[in-house]
Amino acid sequence: MNTVIVVGAQWGDEGKGKVVDYFAKQANAIVRYAGGNNAGHTIVVKGETTILHLIPSGVLHKGKVGVLGNGMVVDPAVLLKEMEGLARKGVKLTSKNFFISERAHLIMPYHRRIDHAREKAKSKKGKIGTTGRGIGPAYEDKANRDGIRFVDLLNEDVFEERLRAALKEKNAYLKRVFKEPGFSFSAVRKEYLGYAKRLKRYVTDVSLLLDGMLVKGKKILFEGAQGTLLDIDHGTYPFVTSSNAGVGGVLAGCGVAPYFLQEIVGVIKAYTTRVGGGPFPTELTDAVGEHLRREGAEYGATTGRARRCGWFDAVVGRYGVRVNGFTGLALTKLDTLTGIDPIRICTGYRVGRKQITEFPADIRQMAQAKPIYEDLPGWKEDIRGARSLEDLPRNAIRYVKRLEALVGVPFFLMSVGPQRQQSIIIENPFET
Ligand code: IMP
C-alpha cells in the first residue's frame, strides 16, 4: 500500500511517535494533518529521547520529507526552535525535505493568552485542561474567518491588514473580559515578519506536492496527533481539542483525494490514559493507577502533567474502529501491565439501570457510566525482549487475543518497550 494513516484510538498519548517512527522507514513523506504543538511525540533511538511537537517524528529517519498540512495550527516560534533542536541532532530540514502548507494557520500570541485566560476563568469542573498553546483560539479564528495563514504572512500588506483587524478585537476582548493586557501591533508585526523571513522557503502548496508524489507511486505516511476521543466531532465534547484528530482530518487537513487513502492504523494503548478534564469511566485512582503511571512514565510530553490512568476500555476501542475504519491496530505499552493481576477489561457501561455497549454522545451519560469488567490473569515475566507473539507469556497472549476479539480488528504490531526495537511486528501495511 502507498498510504498509511496513523490515528490515536483513545484520548491521545497512545505512543503514536514510536509507531510513526517505525512505519516512516518505508515512507517517502510523513505528513501531520491536524493539531499543533499541543501534541508531543516521543521517540527513543539508541537510548536518546527526542520529543517533537510539530514536525512529523518520521523525519528522524534519513532521506524523508516532512510536511505540515493545512489542517494544522502552527506556532512559528515553536517550529523554529524545534528545527534548531533537530539540526543539533544532525537532522537538517531544508527547502527540499521540509514543507509547510501555505494554508496552515498561525498561532498568534493573543491565541495563547486567550487560551490561558479562559481556562483560568473556568470553574474547576468546567476546565478543559488545555495545553495552553493557543490551539482552541487559533482554530476558532480559522472557523470565524479571522485567522492568519502562512500565505497571508508572506504578503506584508495582507498580513498587516489582518493583524490590525485581529488586534482591534482581541485586545478589547482581553482587556474587557479578562482584564489582561493586549498586544502592540508593531511588536507582533516585527516578530512575525521575522518568522516569515526564516520560514518562507518551506511554505508551499501541500495538496499539489502530495498529489504529485502519490501519482508517482511514492509512499506517504499521515501522522495523527491527539486521539479519536479528543476529536472535535467524535470525541468527548466539550472535553476535546479543536481539530479533527481522527481520520476525517486527513482529507480536510492535507487536500489529498480520498481514493489515495488505504491503510488506517489505530494506535491503542494496552490500558487507557487521558490528560485534562472530562469523563473517564475506567479511571483508576488506586495503587494500580499509580503502577500504570509509574511504569508507563505517564507524564505529558508537552506539559509534563501526570496523566490519568485506567483499564483498557473496549467500548472506546470499538468506537474508534467504527468512526475511523481502522484496518489494523498497533497495541502499545503492553509491558506496563507486567506485574498486575488480575487485569481488567471494560466491555460495556452501566448507566443507571441501562447497560450500554456503544459510546454515548451525552457527556452526562459518560460521567455516570460505570464500567462492566471482565478479568483476565496477569503475568510477571519481563516481556520487553519479546519479538514475536510466541515469545510472550501465555497470559499476555490471552490478554492480547481478547482485546483483538473485543475491538474486532487485528493487531499489526505490539510495542513492548520504549526502544525502537522493542516491538512485535505482525504485519506491515506498507508491505501489503
Ligand atoms: P488543547 O488541544 O490544548 O486545546 O487541549 C484540549 C484537550 O485536549 C485537553 O484535555 C488536553 O489535555 C488534550 N490534548 C491536547 N493535545 C493532546 C495530546 O497530544 N495528547 C493528549 N491530550 C491532548
Side-chain angles (χ1 to χ4, degrees):
M1 296 294 178
N2 283 346
T3 59
V4 173
I5 304 170
V6 171
V7 173
Q10 296 154 317
W11 275 284
D13 307 319
E14 297 92 352
K16 292 181 291 295
K18 179 175 164 177
V19 175
V20 165
D21 177 67
Y22 171 71
F23 288 131
K25 266 189 300 195
Q26 277 137 311
N28 297 101
I30 304 98
V31 188
R32 271 279 305 266
Y33 59 85
N37 60 314
N38 45 352
H41 292 169
T42 308
I43 313 102
V44 185
V45 185
K46 293 188 188 127
E48 192 186 359
T49 302
T50 304
I51 300 176
L52 292 170
H53 302 283
L54 282 167
I55 298 169
S57 43
V59 301
L60 291 182
H61 291 277
K62 276 207 169 62
K64 305 296 171 189
V65 169
V67 182
L68 307 187
N70 61 275
M72 292 187 72
V73 286
V74 181
D75 187 325
V78 175
L79 176 60
L80 283 162
K81 225 169 128 199
E82 204 161 292
M83 290 169 79
E84 284 161 13
L86 282 177
R88 279 196 297 276
K89 292 186 181 210
V91 181
K92 193 152 174 20
L93 299 180
T94 69
S95 57
K96 299 266 185 302
N97 68 8
F98 182 60
F99 302 95
I100 307 166
S101 168
E102 55 194 359
R103 289 180 166 85
H105 281 246
L106 290 158
I107 292 185
M108 305 298 291
Y110 43 84
H111 291 140
R112 285 192 300 270
R113 192 165 293 169
I114 291 171
D115 196 355
H116 280 289
R118 279 189 187 149
E119 281 287 291
K120 214 165 80 188
K122 279 198 171 96
S123 68
K124 196 166 172 237
K125 214 173 123 214
K127 274 194 207 311
I128 292 169
T130 71
T131 58
R133 304 298 192 257
I135 306 294
Y139 277 115
E140 181 179 315
D141 273 0
K142 174 179 175 175
N144 205 27
R145 292 146 297 179
D146 285 329
I148 303 179
R149 302 167 303 164
F150 273 89
V151 69
D152 305 323
L153 175 66
L154 298 189
N155 181 323
E156 207 170 311
D157 293 341
V158 174
F159 176 62
E160 285 182 359
E161 193 185 316
R162 294 194 70 78
L163 178 65
R164 198 167 268 125
L167 280 180
K168 200 168 152 204
E169 203 181 288
K170 306 298 174 193
N171 283 348
Y173 179 61
L174 277 164
K175 282 180 199 158
R176 288 200 203 128
V177 179
F178 298 112
K179 314 277 177 279
E180 292 278 349
F183 290 88
S184 114
F185 170 80
S186 58
V188 180
R189 175 189 168 277
K190 187 165 168 238
E191 181 187 341
Y192 274 68
L193 288 180
Y195 298 142
K197 230 186 197 160
R198 296 173 65 191
L199 292 171
K200 196 163 116 192
R201 75 192 74 148
Y202 308 105
V203 177
T204 194
D205 184 335
V206 157
S207 163
L208 194 62
L209 170 85
L210 296 179
D211 187 69
M213 292 184 82
L214 288 163
V215 166
K216 283 192 202 125
K218 301 273 190 214
K219 291 188 190 295
I220 312 270
L221 177 64
F222 296 93
E223 173 176 332
Q226 291 85 43
T228 305
L229 293 185
L230 289 174
D231 184 290
I232 183 126
D233 282 287
H234 302 293
T236 43
Y237 193 91
F239 298 97
V240 291
T241 190
S242 300
S243 64
N244 282 118
V247 74
V250 177
L251 291 176
C254 297
V256 288
Y259 49 74
F260 284 122
L261 306 179
Q262 293 157 326
E263 295 282 355
I264 306 157
V265 179
V267 184
I268 198 158
K269 220 180 265 193
Y271 48 97
T272 313
T273 62
R274 118 165 262 187
V275 270
F280 179 1
T282 64
E283 182 168 13
L284 291 165
T285 48
D286 58 4
V288 178
E290 197 39 57
H291 170 113
L292 295 173
R293 192 170 306 113
R294 188 183 60 245
E295 298 301 316
E298 296 295 356
Y299 294 90
T302 299
T303 57
R305 288 181 290 180
R307 295 177 185 144
R308 300 157 67 191
C309 299
W311 298 116
F312 186 89
D313 187 335
V315 180
V316 166
R318 277 196 302 273
Y319 180 67
V321 170
R322 171 157 54 85
V323 299
N324 293 294
F326 294 141
T327 50
L329 288 169
L331 183 72
T332 58
K333 293 200 162 179
L334 187 61
D335 54 304
T336 304
L337 291 174
T338 300
I340 298 177
D341 195 8
I343 302 175
R344 314 195 87 179
I345 305 172
C346 166
T347 55
Y349 307 135
R350 205 161 276 126
V351 182
R353 288 202 189 143
K354 268 203 335 223
Q355 195 168 312
I356 56 172
T357 50
E358 295 301 334
F359 203 76
D362 185 346
I363 205 79
R364 285 161 306 182
Q365 259 193 37
M366 271 299 281
Q368 291 162 21
K370 298 270 173 289
I372 300 167
Y373 286 120
E374 182 178 304
D375 288 359
L376 288 185
W379 61 90
K380 288 200 169 64
E381 300 88 333
D382 183 354
I383 62 169
R384 284 171 299 180
R387 296 294 173 266
S388 74
L389 199 59
E390 296 72 46
D391 293 341
L392 290 174
R394 207 163 44 115
N395 286 348
I397 299 178
R398 202 168 146 193
Y399 181 68
V400 164
K401 290 282 170 205
R402 187 64 189 134
L403 297 189
E404 218 171 36
L406 282 169
V407 297
V409 170
F411 290 134
F412 284 158
L413 74 83
M414 289 168 211
S415 170
V416 289
Q419 300 283 342
R420 248 185 196 167
Q421 72 279 10
Q422 289 173 325
S423 308
I424 298 172
I425 312 296
I426 295 154
E427 189 181 323
N428 182 339
F430 268 135
E431 285 168 1
T432 53

